[in-house]
């Protein structure tokens, strides 16, 4: 948080100098150029440090994701391998958007918000949809146009690596909210490589939905209580898995964003140093001309 605060301060200082009037921008003094050069240099130091921190967090997130992907696939086994069709266009649906509270990572959060907004627009008339937002970044974007759909939101996400207890709490709050949804969808960033990710959807089913399917009758000794326990645990597992996917995507995106920011700061530093040297040379030349002119006048 200290790094982000220092970065915003340095950017603000540099922006103040950059926002000078058009006429004054060409008359920058050596002090103004030097101040701006220091601000940009400070920005570059911060972005380089944040890149190294993100690289370390990305390595841990990728390792945790590799270990969890087996469990992530297992949560969909009953639906995919058991041949249980999910209810589409149910009259009560739940959307879960997975993001975090931290920024400076490109458009990773806006992608989730955009996907949720598009899905909300495609909902047929007469279908009720509520949204559970995990993380403040996506919630703040969605709230501007679709505040009425937000059922609940969870913050303080992304500051530490995800744990199953957090996902269980989100699942418990959604199930205890009083909104009896029949189907749902989780929107999350699926990690592909260190340089790429994509927004994906993951289905959510309830015990009532499974109880209505004839395919469930193929399994012996499956009562309503077992289905209820299974769906609750599966919901928490799906949320935890998608949080791990989103965390790895976010750290890789932040690492790339900070690398690009450092590169852009380096270009600005080179340009400012060239401007500084030219301005200093112009000042020295002007002073020499004044001295020579004064000496000639005395003769």
């Amino acid at each position: 948080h200290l790094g982000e605060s220092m970065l915003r301060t340095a950017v603000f200082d540099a922006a103040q100098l950059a926002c000078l009037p058009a006429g004054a921008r060409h008359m920058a003094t050596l002090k103004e150029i030097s101040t701006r050069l220091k601000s940009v240099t400070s920005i570059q130091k911060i972005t380089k440090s944040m890149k190294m921190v993100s690289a370390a967090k990305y390595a841990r997130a990728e390792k945790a994701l590799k270990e969890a992907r087996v469990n992530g696939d297992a949560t969909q086994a009953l639906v995919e391998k058991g041949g249980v069709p999910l209810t589409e266009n149910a009259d009560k649906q739940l959307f879960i958007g997975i993001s975090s509270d931290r920024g400076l990572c490109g458009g990773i959060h806006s992608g989730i918000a955009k996907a949720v907004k598009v899905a909300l627009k495609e909902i047929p008339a007469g279908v009720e949809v509520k949204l559970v937002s995990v993380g403040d970044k996506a919630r703040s974007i969605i709230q501007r146009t679709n505040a009425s759909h937000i059922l609940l939101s969870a913050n303080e996400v992304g500051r530490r690596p995800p744990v199953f207890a957090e996902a269980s709490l989100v699942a418990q709050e959604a199930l205890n909210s009083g909104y009896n949804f029949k189907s749902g969808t989780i929107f999350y960033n699926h990690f592909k490589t260190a340089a790429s990710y994509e927004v994906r959807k993951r289905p959510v089913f309830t015990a009532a939905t499974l109880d209505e399917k004839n395919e469930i009758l193929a399994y012996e000794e499956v009562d309503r209580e077992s289905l209820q326990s299974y769906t609750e645990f599966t919901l928490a597992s799906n949320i935890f898995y998608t949080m791990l996917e989103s965390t790895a995507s976010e750290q890789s995106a932040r690492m790339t964003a900070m690398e690009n920011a450092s590169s852009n700061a380096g270009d600005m530093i080179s340009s400012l140093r060239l401007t500084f040297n030219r301005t200093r040379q112009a000042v020295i030349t002007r002073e020499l001309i004044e001295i020579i002119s004064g000496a000639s006048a005395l003769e």
Side-chain angles (χ1 to χ4, degrees):
H1 307 301
L2 181 59
E4 293 184 14
S5 177
M6 293 175 63
L7 178 58
R8 292 191 180 95
T9 303
V11 169
F12 178 75
D13 293 339
Q16 282 185 315
L17 293 174
C19 294
L20 292 172
R25 194 175 298 178
H26 298 287
M27 298 183 294
T29 63
L30 287 174
K31 184 177 180 181
E32 291 173 346
I33 298 174
S34 178
T35 302
R36 187 175 183 189
L37 184 59
K38 290 180 180 178
S39 297
V40 178
T41 303
S42 299
I43 292 175
Q44 188 183 46
K45 290 180 180 178
I46 295 170
T47 53
K48 284 183 176 180
S49 299
M50 293 183 68
K51 177 191 172 183
M52 291 189 292
V53 172
S54 296
K57 291 183 177 181
Y58 161 72
R60 292 196 297 267
E62 186 182 23
K63 181 180 178 181
L65 177 59
K66 287 181 178 179
E67 296 174 352
R69 270 189 167 162
V70 177
N71 296 329
D73 296 336
T75 57
Q76 301 296 311
L78 179 62
V79 177
E80 296 176 355
K81 297 182 180 180
V84 181
L86 292 178
T87 304
E88 296 183 358
N89 298 328
D91 56 353
K92 299 188 74 173
Q93 300 184 27
L94 180 71
F95 288 173
I96 303 176
I98 307 295
S99 65
S100 74
D101 294 356
R102 302 191 62 194
L104 299 177
C105 52
I108 193 167
H109 301 309
S110 59
I112 293 293
K114 182 179 179 181
V116 172
K117 287 182 177 181
V118 170
L120 288 173
K121 289 182 179 179
E122 295 176 350
I123 293 297
V127 176
E128 184 181 4
V129 180
K130 292 297 182 180
L131 171 67
V132 173
S133 177
V134 180
D136 276 342
K137 289 298 182 179
R139 179 198 57 79
S140 62
I141 300 174
I142 298 172
Q143 192 174 19
R144 300 170 189 169
T145 55
N146 302 96
S148 59
H149 291 284
I150 298 178
L151 178 65
L152 56 91
S153 62
N155 55 11
E156 298 297 326
V157 179
R159 303 183 187 277
R160 294 183 178 181
V163 294
F164 187 77
E166 293 178 344
S168 300
L169 180 60
V170 173
Q172 181 180 1
E173 291 296 327
L175 294 172
N176 295 337
S177 63
Y179 180 70
N180 298 319
F181 61 95
K182 295 183 178 180
S183 68
T185 306
I186 300 178
F187 296 82
Y188 69 102
N189 289 297
H190 179 78
F191 174 78
K192 299 175 68 177
T193 65
S196 64
Y197 60 89
E198 64 179 358
V199 178
R200 288 190 180 182
K201 301 177 183 179
R202 198 170 183 86
V204 173
F205 48 87
T206 62
T209 303
L210 295 180
D211 197 26
E212 296 173 355
K213 305 300 180 182
N214 294 327
E215 291 81 0
I216 296 296
L217 299 178
Y219 298 90
E220 297 181 358
E221 298 181 358
V222 179
D223 55 9
R224 183 59 185 270
E225 185 178 356
S226 299
L227 283 178
Q228 183 67 31
S229 300
Y230 173 76
T231 53
E232 290 177 1
F233 178 76
T234 301
L235 176 59
S237 298
N238 275 319
I239 293 175
F240 178 58
Y241 169 69
T242 53
M243 288 173 68
L244 290 174
E245 288 276 4
S246 296
T247 300
S249 302
E250 179 184 335
Q251 295 301 338
S252 64
R254 182 173 292 110
M255 186 171 58
T256 302
M258 292 301 101
E259 182 178 2
N260 294 335
S262 299
S263 177
N264 293 336
D267 294 340
M268 290 185 65
I269 289 172
S270 299
S271 178
L272 287 171
R273 282 177 178 169
L274 181 60
T275 304
F276 180 83
N277 292 334
R278 286 178 176 176
T279 305
R280 182 176 61 179
Q281 187 65 38
V283 171
I284 294 173
T285 303
R286 186 176 66 250
E287 291 178 351
L288 287 175
I289 292 174
E290 291 176 355
I291 293 172
I292 295 173
S293 300
S296 299
L298 291 176
E299 294 178 358

